[in-house]
Amino acid sequence: MNGVVGVGLALLCGVLQWRFLLRAEEPGAKTARLVWCVLMGAGMVAAFVAGRQDFPSLHPLGWLETVFTPLTRWLYEVG
Amino acid sequence: MAQISRYQVILMLVWVVLGTGILTMPGTIAQFTVHDAWMGASFLLLGGGLSAGVAWLHVRLFPGLTLTQAVRAAFGPWIGRFLAVWLCLWLLITTATVGREMSAFVTVATLPNTAEYLVGAAAFACVAYLVYLGIEVVGRVNEFIMPLVLVIVPLLFVLALRWFDVAAFQPVWAEGFTPIWRSGIVPAFAYGLEFVVALQWVPALRTPRTLPLDILIASAVSSLILTVLVVETVGVVGWPVKYMNYPVLEVVRAIRLGKLIERLDTVYAMGVVAILVLKLSAIHLSLCRALQDVCGTQDARWAVLPAAFAVWAASYFLFRNTAGVTAFILSVVPGYFLVTAIFLPLVSYAAAWLRRRPWRRTAAGRL
């Protein structure tokens, strides 16, 4: 259900911003359109995955934990 | 361009900290110490001081630029853009964390039969609308809510004092300094470093040079309010505060006056939701401004909806449940924020200073 709501919201955003997506010609508009699509695409995939039953097998923030947990642990210990 | 006053900046910064502070801070601090929990919230001043130091350097080295623009100016188009994307990710993850805390709180406290992602979608729709209207509107909404808070918060505080017990704080300093320091890590390095998001608002500030002082004032005000809140919560709830997700909610639920006045937690829940929307709006503003800087567009409005959508989805994708959010805040956020909000800007300022160093100019002049 989460994924269905996600696709619905993405379509709504696309309709609301059709002018920007099709006509914008200001500086940086191409990159902005690419970023728009990346954010929307990633959002839809994330919404679908978050709604699945086997979601617990994923650990998307694991890389941050690996990098920053030792520093955080040091902060706790230094006092 | 719309500009905001110092008063609005201070209010926005105060709500950035208090948004989740009034929700979870007493419980987080009590994980480490209950007797001396009242000292934990004051560590917010440490984080506020670090953020003010970074802001002081920023407004002197890069007056009128956002943090992402400064990073790009310091490191050039490629490394600078990579670091700006890193900052965007930081803001996105921070907003997702707050968004998940908010929807979980609303589901637990007031709407137990509503799906969490629908609550989150409604909240992010409000946030997107506020941010779309611009920083001035966000600042004015912050001003609007202030009188309501000034009436409701002292009232709830006084009404709950009936159950206050000083014994919860005795003996003082019994376990030494270590648990107090540990209880202050999240206030200092998670909440205190959130003030750095204000560097993204620099072009919209009426007086950018006073930003460091504004951050110090906001951190002092937030620290004082949170200390009072922690004292009241621990004094009323006592030792069980360690095992509660929302201890302040329990304090408000305990208020009863005669047979008619009770369940004032509805007022508290409404206040928390309003403040959390303001917090999300402030950080979302920074995220949209960062996306604008990465793409080099003249306006940030195009980024409001896709960023809100991505953050909404990320808040359910990144965290399985509220326990996951709490674990992330306790074990990752302090180190992550220290590197991203303090070390990264400092390295950027050092790089910019080295590029502009006087001996280099002299050598170029001789040539």
Side-chain angles (χ1 to χ4, degrees), chain B residues 67-78:
Chain B
L67 178 59
T68 35
Q69 285 173 337
V71 166
R72 287 190 68 177
F75 287 107
W78 291 105

Side-chain angles (χ1 to χ4, degrees), chain B residues 197-215:
Chain B
V197 299
L199 296 184
Q200 290 296 111
W201 313 333
V202 166
L205 301 183
R206 209 167 286 161
T207 49
R209 286 186 78 84
T210 56
L211 183 62
L213 183 62
D214 297 342
I215 290 177

Side-chain angles (χ1 to χ4, degrees), chain A residues 1-2 6 17 20 26-28 32 35-36 40 43-44 49 55-56 58 60-61 65 68-69 71-72 75-77 79, chain B residues 32 93 117 178 181-182 185 295-298 302 305-306 309 312-313 316-317 319-320 328 330-332 335-336 339:
Chain A
M1 198 56 197
N2 199 355
Q17 291 190 283
F20 160 74
E26 63 177 73
V35 170
W36 194 97
M40 279 298 173
M44 276 196 282
V49 175
F55 169 56
L58 279 169
L61 286 175
E65 286 177 17
F68 293 110
T69 302
L71 176 59
T72 307
L75 285 172
Y76 280 115
E77 294 300 325
Chain B
F32 301 96
I93 292 171
Y117 59 85
T178 305
W181 166 258
R182 288 179 181 167
I185 291 293
C295 298
T297 51
Q298 290 169 349
W302 64 268
L305 279 178
F309 177 73
W312 167 77
Y316 303 99
F317 175 68
F319 307 105
R320 241 171 274 166
F328 179 70
L330 283 173
S331 62
V332 181
Y336 182 35
V339 168

Side-chain angles (χ1 to χ4, degrees), chain B residues 277-332:
Chain B
V277 165
L278 292 179
K279 172 170 185 162
L280 286 169
S281 305
I283 307 176
H284 197 64
L285 265 172
S286 303
L287 172 60
C288 292
R289 182 68 214 210
L291 287 169
Q292 179 195 348
D293 295 339
V294 167
C295 298
T297 51
Q298 290 169 349
D299 192 60
R301 282 186 173 177
W302 64 268
V304 173
L305 279 178
F309 177 73
V311 169
W312 167 77
S315 62
Y316 303 99
F317 175 68
L318 298 178
F319 307 105
R320 241 171 274 166
N321 45 39
T322 44
V325 178
T326 310
F328 179 70
I329 291 171
L330 283 173
S331 62
V332 181

